[in-house]
Amino acid sequence: MTPNLDIAHLSLSYLTERGRVPALRNVSLAVYPNEIVGLVGESGSGKSTLAMAAMRLLRPQDIALEGSVRVQGQEVYRLSPEDLKRWRWEHLAMVFQSSMNALNPVLSVASHFFDTLSAHRAADSKPVMMQRVRQLLQLVRLDPDVAVRYPHELSGGMRQRVVIALALALNPKVLIMDEPTTALDVVVQKSILDEISAIQTKHQLSVLFITHDFTLVQGLAHRIAVMYAGEIVQITERESLARESVPNHPYTTALMRGIPRLTGSRATLEGIPGEPPDMTRLPRGCAFYPRCQDRRPVCESTPLPEASHDTYVRCHALTAERREERC
Ligand SMILES: Nc1ncnc2c1ncn2[C@@H]1O[C@H](COP(=O)(O)OP(=O)(O)OP(=O)(O)O)[C@@H](O)[C@H]1O
Ligand code: SF4
Ligand SMILES: [Mg+2]
């Protein structure tokens, strides 16, 4: 099956006064039709950079980029600026990190939609656009009359639903959601996640769901990608995570040790020792080496094994284990 979003060997550095700051390192990730992929990692691991790069929203003069991003077969970086404007939001849309706080307080909810709708569907009259706004609000389980209200009149959960509806305005097939529920309480979070799941199934969307919260993706995603220091170190089917017979990357295991369990015997929660690396001074080998409980000499200076596209674990210890099993 051809993925709807196909990111291949993407590397990106920010060009700063301090020099190049690597943020993505040879990232390959595919999201198939009708699939939710969760992207998890600590703060600063490169999740938002990956999303912004996939949308081609970073200014070319601020970055050095290699690799490819294809959406429904179209290479995003080959589109002309005019085509990109038309194409973005119709094929690939994004809910930005903290975007519910970025709604314009002096514009009604409907006006936020009119900008996008009129830019792409200039022929539509105002009543036609208003009808579409009301439909979109219903899609995210808001009262359609919310269209005439202002952002400050809405709760956080309602504003978050509005930004999700905005991203869906032009029926994109691929949706990237960057921490869409982080600022919400757990009850509202749960109800929004249920709606995301229902909309994804109904419209057969491909969703890349970004979060630092492992528990969220475990309940929502079909596959989970784990990011550390700008690299994807593991992509796994959700079901495989819990199976002891399928080994996880040591960083994934460390993240999972920090999740409280509701059932079974009591277990002590453990944080991950140490700090994420300084991206301008990455170790030559595995970036997790200084914090890893399973490290071995080869990890210090040897780059991680190459990634394949769908599911993989990139770790020298696991590669060695598999080699030993085969002998
Ligand atoms: N505009 C920028 N200029 C320079 N460096 C940047 C810029 N934006 C991000 N970075 C750096 O790129 C790396 C990845 O940042 P990014 O925001 O993508 O991480 P993240 O995983 O989304 O983090 P969070 O969970 O906090 O949102 C970090 O080291 C960050 O400091
Ligand atoms: S490659 Fe080595 S240091 Fe890195 S996660 Fe695996 S065992 Fe740990
Ligand atoms: Mg981010």
Side-chain angles (χ1 to χ4, degrees), residues 14 16 21 23 41-49 97 179 212 279:
Y14 288 103
T16 71
V21 180
E42 282 169 298
S43 187
S45 56
K47 305 179 298 295
S48 297
T49 301
Q97 190 163 5
E179 306 268 7
H212 60 271
M279 295 297 285

Side-chain angles (χ1 to χ4, degrees), residues 228 233 248-252 285-300 302-305 313-319:
Y228 187 77
V233 294
N248 287 316
H249 190 278
Y251 176 59
T252 311
C286 172
F288 192 52
Y289 178 82
R291 306 169 79 185
C292 180
Q293 294 180 353
D294 299 326
R295 68 185 171 202
R296 43 193 72 195
V298 63
C299 311
E300 190 177 6
T302 315
L304 291 183
V313 183
R314 300 173 66 199
C315 168
H316 293 302
L318 297 177
T319 310

Side-chain angles (χ1 to χ4, degrees), residues 29-265:
L29 176 68
V31 187
Y32 287 90
N34 201 12
E35 183 188 42
I36 303 181
V37 173
L39 178 65
V40 201
E42 282 169 298
S43 187
S45 56
K47 305 179 298 295
S48 297
T49 301
L50 183 61
M52 300 289 276
M55 290 285 288
R56 201 174 144 186
L57 282 168
L58 298 166
R59 295 192 318 163
Q61 60 269 40
D62 295 339
I63 55 167
L65 177 135
E66 277 171 42
S68 139
V69 179
R70 284 178 173 271
V71 174
Q72 296 186 290
Q74 171 66 55
E75 173 58 57
V76 176
Y77 283 85
R78 292 240 174 89
L79 289 164
S80 69
E82 294 71 35
D83 288 344
L84 179 64
K85 261 192 217 152
R86 271 196 299 274
W87 179 92
R88 205 192 271 142
W89 304 112
E90 289 187 13
H91 296 266
L92 172 65
M94 179 166 170
V95 174
F96 295 92
Q97 190 163 5
S98 311
S99 53
M100 72 177 195
N101 299 320
L103 293 171
N104 188 334
V106 299
L107 292 182
S108 69
V109 166
S111 304
H112 286 82
F113 288 82
F114 291 164
D115 275 356
T116 312
L117 291 174
S118 55
H120 289 257
R121 296 185 185 165
D124 286 356
S125 65
K126 201 118 186 225
V128 169
M129 284 198 283
M130 194 57 164
Q131 191 50 36
R132 175 77 182 136
V133 174
R134 291 174 68 85
Q135 272 173 0
L136 285 161
L137 293 173
Q138 277 175 311
L139 180 67
V140 293
R141 292 184 201 234
L142 285 173
D143 184 330
D145 292 340
V146 163
V148 294
R149 291 170 66 181
Y150 286 81
H152 69 270
E153 298 176 299
L154 309 180
S155 68
M158 291 166 84
R159 277 184 280 133
Q160 192 57 45
R161 286 184 168 85
V162 168
V163 295
I164 294 171
L166 268 167
L168 296 171
L170 297 168
N171 288 324
K173 269 288 165 210
V174 185
L175 180 62
I176 299 178
M177 308 183 99
D178 192 357
E179 306 268 7
T181 59
T182 299
L184 303 169
D185 68 60
V186 283
V187 177
V188 179
Q189 199 171 57
K190 165 88 176 68
S191 109
I192 290 191
L193 290 179
D194 289 346
E195 271 141 40
I196 291 171
S197 186
I199 292 168
Q200 184 270 330
T201 309
K202 185 171 171 204
H203 296 270
Q204 307 216 322
L205 298 180
S206 302
V207 177
L208 181 62
F209 185 96
I210 295 173
T211 178
H212 60 271
D213 185 342
F214 217 107
T215 45
L216 287 192
V217 285
Q218 272 186 303
L220 182 78
H222 302 109
R223 282 185 302 135
I224 296 172
V226 180
M227 195 165 206
Y228 187 77
E231 286 181 304
I232 294 190
V233 294
Q234 175 169 8
I235 301 182
T236 184
E237 304 283 343
R238 175 181 58 187
E239 293 76 25
S240 306
L241 269 181
R243 269 190 236 135
E244 283 182 10
S245 55
V246 184
N248 287 316
H249 190 278
Y251 176 59
T252 311
T253 307
L255 284 176
M256 290 173 72
R257 278 203 206 106
I259 301 174
R261 279 190 291 170
L262 295 176
T263 54
S265 55

